[in-house]
Amino acid sequence: WGKGPEGKLRQLQVMRAELPGLKSGMVEKKREFLNTVEDPRQLARLLAIPDKRWRRATSGKLSPARSLVAAQLSLLIDIVTAVPLRLKNLSSLNFRNNLSWPRGPKGPALLFVPGSEMKNGEDYQAELTADLARRLLDYRDKLAPPVIGSVPQDLFVTRHGKLKAMATIAAEFKQIIARELGISMTLHQARHLAAKVMLDSNPDAYPLVQQLLGHQNLSSTVKAYAGVNTRRASRHY
């Protein structure tokens, strides 16, 4: 995956063979974060942010530029809690290739990321709810044009219509989570949360988590999230 020189890779493999095996399960930092969202009220507050920010964006009380930011925050959190993409894929979503409305403007939207852009090389598809699909259209056709001067091609754009930097999107997400929930949470940790939610409700759903997160193989998923297996299993029992 690193695409290093062949001789150097062989040398690294020999060195790796001399090291002890990696411990499966979650690292401490990941476990500490998931403990902060163990309270279902935290999850409820997280899921309430998109509606809250959308009402703010469409209230008419903000300038067009601030409405654009509020709308983007609403869409960002709504998408990432439904489709926990990696930051690279999330930040580059656009209306040309990634979003479509196969059942018309009143139906759910289809999110598609080609395998050439995914880390595992596989196409990724997900269905977005009709409510989120409608907001995406309203954002594209009504909220964004007055600010940037045209219909945006990309989802997350600056007020000048240029694609936002990944670092900017990541920082905005972290700031709004800290403000609303009082915790530190990154976009990557939203992927950990998605796995936790799915496995808490279905402890043997590792293949589904693998597909949801776009992992290349099942062993990666099990190694990453098997750390709280006994706690989850005892609760399920």
Side-chain angles (χ1 to χ4, degrees), residues 120-168:
N120 65 356
E122 300 289 338
D123 290 349
Y124 190 99
Q125 295 187 67
E127 191 171 275
L128 305 179
T129 65
D131 286 341
L132 176 52
R134 185 174 59 254
R135 287 179 180 179
L136 284 164
L137 285 176
D138 286 345
Y139 166 80
R140 184 192 68 181
D141 299 335
K142 299 176 182 178
L143 287 172
V147 181
I148 69 175
S150 61
V151 175
Q153 295 300 306
D154 297 301
L155 178 54
F156 300 112
V157 295
T158 68
R159 58 191 180 91
H160 302 296
K162 295 182 179 180
L163 185 67
K164 272 189 175 181
M166 286 193 292
T168 302

Side-chain angles (χ1 to χ4, degrees), residues 34-171:
L34 291 178
N35 284 338
T36 66
V37 290
E38 186 67 30
D39 187 342
R41 292 173 296 182
Q42 281 285 56
L43 180 60
R45 284 193 285 268
L46 172 64
L47 297 178
I49 295 175
D51 285 347
K52 183 177 179 180
R53 289 288 148 178
W54 190 259
R55 287 195 299 269
R56 180 174 170 81
T58 57
S59 66
K61 298 178 181 180
L62 302 178
S63 66
R66 293 182 66 187
S67 291
L68 180 74
V69 173
Q72 287 183 358
L73 286 171
S74 170
L75 296 173
L76 174 63
I77 295 176
D78 217 351
I79 291 174
V80 81
T81 51
V83 188
L85 292 170
R86 292 180 175 88
L87 173 58
K88 180 180 178 181
N89 302 120
L90 186 68
S91 63
S92 62
L93 289 177
N94 63 74
F95 293 100
R96 302 181 302 275
N97 306 314
N98 304 124
L99 296 165
S100 61
W101 285 258
R103 302 185 204 173
K106 294 184 179 181
L110 181 66
L111 184 149
F112 171 76
V113 181
S116 58
E117 298 176 13
M118 294 292 293
K119 188 175 179 180
N120 65 356
E122 300 289 338
D123 290 349
Y124 190 99
Q125 295 187 67
E127 191 171 275
L128 305 179
T129 65
D131 286 341
L132 176 52
R134 185 174 59 254
R135 287 179 180 179
L136 284 164
L137 285 176
D138 286 345
Y139 166 80
R140 184 192 68 181
D141 299 335
K142 299 176 182 178
L143 287 172
V147 181
I148 69 175
S150 61
V151 175
Q153 295 300 306
D154 297 301
L155 178 54
F156 300 112
V157 295
T158 68
R159 58 191 180 91
H160 302 296
K162 295 182 179 180
L163 185 67
K164 272 189 175 181
M166 286 193 292
T168 302
I169 295 172

Side-chain angles (χ1 to χ4, degrees), residues 170-235:
E172 290 178 342
F173 177 86
K174 194 170 183 178
Q175 288 169 3
I176 192 64
I177 294 298
R179 187 181 307 145
E180 296 287 344
L181 304 185
I183 63 173
S184 177
M185 177 179 173
T186 66
L187 274 167
H188 189 74
Q189 286 172 325
R191 291 168 56 81
H192 303 330
L193 178 59
K196 168 185 161 49
V197 170
M198 183 171 283
L199 290 170
D200 280 352
S201 63
N202 189 355
D204 59 354
Y206 285 100
L208 290 177
V209 174
Q210 176 196 357
Q211 295 178 52
L212 179 68
L213 299 184
H215 287 167
Q216 191 166 16
N217 52 66
L218 182 60
S219 62
S220 298
T221 309
V222 175
K223 285 181 179 179
Y225 297 105
V228 290
N229 216 18
T230 55
R231 180 178 181 180
R232 184 178 291 124
S234 63
R235 180 190 297 151

